Structure formats: structure tokens, C-alpha cells
Amino acid sequence: MKLSAIFRRRKTFNHGIHPMEHKALTAGLPVRRLFFAPKMIIPLSQHRGAPGIPLVKVGQEVVRGEPIAKAGGFVSVPMHSPVTGVVRSIDELVATAEGPKARAIIIETYPAATQEVLYQAPIDVDAMTAEELVKAVQACGMVGLGGAAFPSHVKLLPPEGKQIDILIINGCECEPYLTCDHRVMLEQTDCMIRGIRMVIKATGAKRAIIGVEDNKLDAVAHIKTALPTDSEITVEAVVTKYPQGAEKMLITSLLDKEVPSGGIPADIGVAVYNVGTMAQLGELIPKSRGLIERVVTVSGPGAKKPGNYLVPIGTPLRFLMEQVGTTSESTEVIMGGPMMGMSVASQDVAITKGVSGVVVFERDERDHPVYPCIKCGACLDACPILLNPSMLGQLAGVRQYETMAQEYHLNDCFECGSCSYVCPSNIPLTQYFRIAKAINREAKTAA
């Protein structure tokens, strides 16, 4: 296929930024399996919604793939054992990347086990009804693997009165350093397409569009070769610009439609899924397997062996860091990408379902003094949803959190970090907005 044909279809949204990509460190490295850690930490709340409810007892032997916790409600998913081993504790409070401690199941890995996935039962996906597919998606414990960790089956059932007509499959991976989605599109293409077809059937959508930034044209070309010319699935290149991978931005780029303020994509007949989520559904559902591992990019100037690794969910970050090695100057570890990820205070946290990357920085790379706002307006030019970050920041400084929400649409901010990135005064605007939202939520709960 000629590259000129791809470039003619490039689409984008207004505003946004162009941070350094740093993807060359790992983009060309195939996915490799990481060793199994001697101890696995499986938090019961590593997804949006209710925590899982333990199904196992202390001292119980479990095999790889066996359910160890059931869903705590409709907006919840079960957990499966990432290893063959023995349960050492239940409901133990463990550190998380988000800060508050969470309940977890601790499993000690059997060192001599083959770690073959024994808990599975192949099924005929083609014979399944839409309702059966939705139940199967929840049963496998699938959440959005792009980072949001929202239970995937919930998106398959839009609110009453709404219909999903178009699926957007997000292959943008616009965060600097991260390349796991890129490798999934190149290495797990058939599974991804199989997963998309299952979701089309489950939702009744008429078609699906895979959106990929044009810094990954090899993935665009590769996917096109795997699709028949009359397929209901198409792939389109969009402009490389941050945050092209945010679902509202990608919908605007591909469909020229906007999700209404305070609304969800289903309001305009759209559902958005990550390419990694589709690939895992295409792999797991036909085997009735649970989600027990995922591809994680480990990169950054402080990582000695950057790469794309297949990591068992529950692997302690400290073990992962020991396997890839870190330089003597490494001082900061980010779970996720550097724009929207979380800086971790302890390496005792676990790799959970929503962790797509781990980025290691060296001394002083992100340590800059903060100065007063100079009213330059750079943040207004960067904000992809046309908010006024400068005014929001000033209001946050005087703790006018309700005014931020009521008059300046604070809750439409999805914390992409573009405003903080371009601010010449280094004001951590996004962090201010997170705090303001949290305080407003607490006030609403207490009322």
C-alpha cells in the first residue's frame, strides 16, 4: 500500500501538544515474557467499580488461571490467579500507585511449576449469543487495558435508550515512551480483529474503525493486510498529537462528532476500546480464560533493559525493576505514561490490569522550580477541550473548588496534562485539578 494513500486520510482535533516521543527506545523490540515473581500481589480493587470478593482461603493451592475472586457487582470484574502456587494471605492491605492502601490476595509461586494455564475450557464463540458474549467478557475479568481499567462488559450494555452504532478502536498510544499497543497491533493482529468482531456482535454495532497515529504507519499497513476489502472493520491513520488517544479526541478526529459536556460516547452512538483490550478478548474468550497477564512497556533513561514485556498481573514493581535493571541515577518511577501516569512512592506496589507502562527517570529530569502565572495563555492554546486552565489554576490557589466546577467546567477536564506540560512557570495545573475534583467529591458525599 502506498504511504500517500494513508496520509490523505489523516485526521485530528483542535489544540493539543507535541511532546518528545521517545518511542524509539522500545518500538522495535518484540514482546518478551518476564519471569514469574516468587510472590504475587493481586489487589481486589484494580478496576473501576466494586472490589472483587475473595473465593479462596489461606493455604489453598491454586493453578494458573483459576478464579480467586468474584465480581463485587455489575460494575466489577473477577480476578484470576496469575500463577500456580498457594494462597498466603487474604484481605491484606497493600500499597497502591494511587496512594491509599487496598485489600489484596497474596499468592506464593511454586518455583518448580511449569506455569501452564490449566484453568480453561475452549468454547465455540461463533455459536454464542450477544448476551452470552457479554457474560463471557465479564467472566474473563477484562477491563480497559489502555489505563482506565473500566470493566469492558459495562460498555457492551449502554444505558437504556442508547444504541452503539460505531466502535472506535484506540491504537493511538499517544503517551511518550509507551509502545506496548504498537507491538500488540503488529504481533497480535489476528486476536485483535477476532476481539473486535466479538464486540461488534455483542453491541450490534454496524462497523468499527481502528484509529492509529501516523507515527505507527507500519501498524496501519499491517492491519490493512489482515482485513478483507469488504470488512466492517477499517483502519485509519490520524495525526500524531497528544492527547489523540483520549476517547473524546479520537471520536472527534475520526467521526467529526463531539461527546456532549458531562456525557459519554454512547450518547452519540459510539463505544471506544483499546487495541490491547480487543487482542486479549480475542485470545481469552475462545478458551474461557481469565485475564492473568498483559504487555507492559518498561522504558525511560533510568531503565537498563527497556522493552515490551509480557508481565503476570500481580507482579511486584520491585521485582520488575530488578529484572530490567535501573541506572544508579534513577530516582523516579512512573506507573503509566509520563503525561497521565502516577509517580510511585514505593516499589512494593503491584502491576495491575490498567498498567500499560513503567517509565524510569533519572535525577532532576522532572524537578523544576514553580513560578507565578504570567498570563501567557499557552495553557488555553494547548487544552484539547477548550477549558481555561489558567483561571482554574488561580481558583484552585484560593480554594474556590465549587466555582471551578460550576462556572469553569472542571469536571470536563480528563487530566491529560497538556496544560502543565506547556506552562512556562511549571505550575502543576493538572495536580491542582485532581485535588479540586477529589475535594468536590468528598463534599458531595458528605452532604
Side-chain angles (χ1 to χ4, degrees), residues 144-148 173 175 177-181 274 294-298 307-309 334-337 351-359:
L145 300 184
E173 197 169 46
E175 278 269 10
Y177 291 102
L178 304 191
T179 56
C180 58
D181 285 352
N274 170 264
R294 64 157 300 154
V295 181
V296 177
T297 298
V298 183
N308 299 293
Y309 295 94
I334 304 290
M335 295 275 267
I351 300 298
T352 55
K353 295 179 180 181
V355 176
S356 55
V358 175
V359 185

Side-chain angles (χ1 to χ4, degrees), residues 70-86:
K70 64 180 181 180
F74 173 65
V75 186
S76 182
V77 294
M79 309 290 175
H80 302 78
S81 178
V83 293
T84 293
V86 60

Side-chain angles (χ1 to χ4, degrees), residues 36-37 68 96 101 115 134-135 148 151 169 234 241 248 262 270 333 348 401 413 417 421:
F36 292 90
I68 56 174
T96 67
K101 289 192 172 182
Q115 298 303 343
V134 173
K135 291 179 180 177
I169 311 302
T234 56
K241 182 169 65 171
K248 291 184 178 180
V270 178
V333 179
D348 294 325
Y401 304 128
C413 170
Y421 181 84

Side-chain angles (χ1 to χ4, degrees), residues 385-429:
I385 50 175
L386 313 183
L387 298 180
N388 186 336
S390 174
M391 178 60 74
L392 285 165
Q394 293 174 60
L395 290 169
V398 291
R399 302 185 179 185
Q400 295 295 311
Y401 304 128
E402 288 189 12
T403 303
M404 293 170 67
Q406 293 172 2
E407 299 183 20
Y408 292 91
H409 308 286
L410 170 67
N411 293 328
D412 283 340
C413 170
F414 56 87
E415 302 166 19
C416 68
S418 296
C419 54
S420 300
Y421 181 84
V422 300
C423 179
S425 296
N426 302 316
I427 300 172
L429 293 163

Side-chain angles (χ1 to χ4, degrees), residues 120-394:
Q120 57 182 331
I123 55 174
D124 182 2
V125 173
D126 293 336
M128 296 176 74
T129 65
E131 292 76 15
E132 289 170 336
L133 278 170
V134 173
K135 291 179 180 177
V137 170
Q138 184 177 23
C140 78
M142 184 58 63
V143 302
L145 300 184
F150 188 79
S152 298
H153 66 281
V154 179
K155 284 188 181 180
L156 300 178
L157 297 171
E160 188 174 351
K162 302 184 189 303
Q163 169 64 41
I164 301 303
D165 297 316
I166 303 176
L167 299 180
I168 298 293
I169 311 302
N170 188 350
C172 288
E173 197 169 46
C174 57
E175 278 269 10
Y177 291 102
L178 304 191
T179 56
C180 58
D181 285 352
H182 188 179
R183 296 311 309 180
V184 165
M185 288 188 283
L186 292 173
E187 299 180 39
Q188 302 176 19
T189 316
D190 291 342
C191 285
M192 180 184 71
I193 293 172
R194 190 184 308 131
I196 295 171
R197 291 199 166 116
M198 287 190 289
V199 174
I200 287 176
K201 182 176 181 179
T203 59
K206 297 178 180 64
R207 62 191 179 105
I209 308 171
I210 306 169
V212 184
E213 282 190 324
D214 57 17
N215 61 352
K216 296 178 273 291
L217 290 178
D218 56 342
V220 175
H222 186 70
I223 295 169
K224 279 183 178 290
T225 61
L227 292 169
T229 54
D230 59 346
S231 176
E232 72 276 38
I233 305 170
T234 56
V235 56
E236 294 192 23
V238 293
V239 170
T240 298
K241 182 169 65 171
Y242 185 85
Q244 189 71 263
E247 63 178 17
K248 291 184 178 180
M249 301 301 99
L250 189 54
I251 290 171
T252 298
S253 295
L254 291 172
L255 303 178
D256 197 23
K257 293 182 176 180
E258 288 190 7
V259 178
S261 176
I264 59 175
D267 292 334
I268 56 172
V270 178
V272 183
Y273 291 89
N274 170 264
V275 290
T277 306
M278 294 295 98
Q280 279 295 292
L281 286 179
E283 170 74 18
L284 299 176
I285 299 296
K287 301 172 183 174
S288 294
R289 281 187 181 179
L291 179 64
I292 56 174
E293 58 191 7
R294 64 157 300 154
V295 181
V296 177
T297 298
V298 183
S299 189
K304 282 186 176 179
K305 292 185 287 185
N308 299 293
Y309 295 94
L310 189 58
V311 182
I313 290 166
T315 299
L317 176 61
R318 187 179 303 281
F319 179 84
L320 177 60
M321 291 291 93
E322 290 170 356
Q323 296 299 308
V324 302
T326 55
T327 66
S328 59
E329 297 295 314
S330 63
T331 56
E332 185 178 19
V333 179
I334 304 290
M335 295 275 267
M339 298 299 294
M340 296 187 71
M342 306 287 288
S343 178
V344 295
S346 165
Q347 294 192 12
D348 294 325
V349 301
I351 300 298
T352 55
K353 295 179 180 181
V355 176
S356 55
V358 175
V359 185
V360 187
F361 288 98
E362 293 188 325
R363 193 186 313 276
D364 295 334
E365 285 182 278
R366 288 161 53 95
D367 185 15
H368 304 291
V370 176
Y371 301 103
C373 175
I374 59 173
K375 311 292 190 300
C376 64
C379 55
L380 278 77
D381 293 335
C383 181
I385 50 175
L386 313 183
L387 298 180
N388 186 336
S390 174
M391 178 60 74
L392 285 165
Q394 293 174 60

Side-chain angles (χ1 to χ4, degrees), residues 98-130:
E98 293 77 18
K101 289 192 172 182
R103 295 161 53 225
I105 295 174
I106 309 297
I107 298 177
E108 184 178 300
T109 305
Y110 281 154
T114 63
Q115 298 303 343
E116 179 184 359
V117 180
L118 299 174
Y119 203 95
Q120 57 182 331
I123 55 174
D124 182 2
V125 173
D126 293 336
M128 296 176 74
T129 65

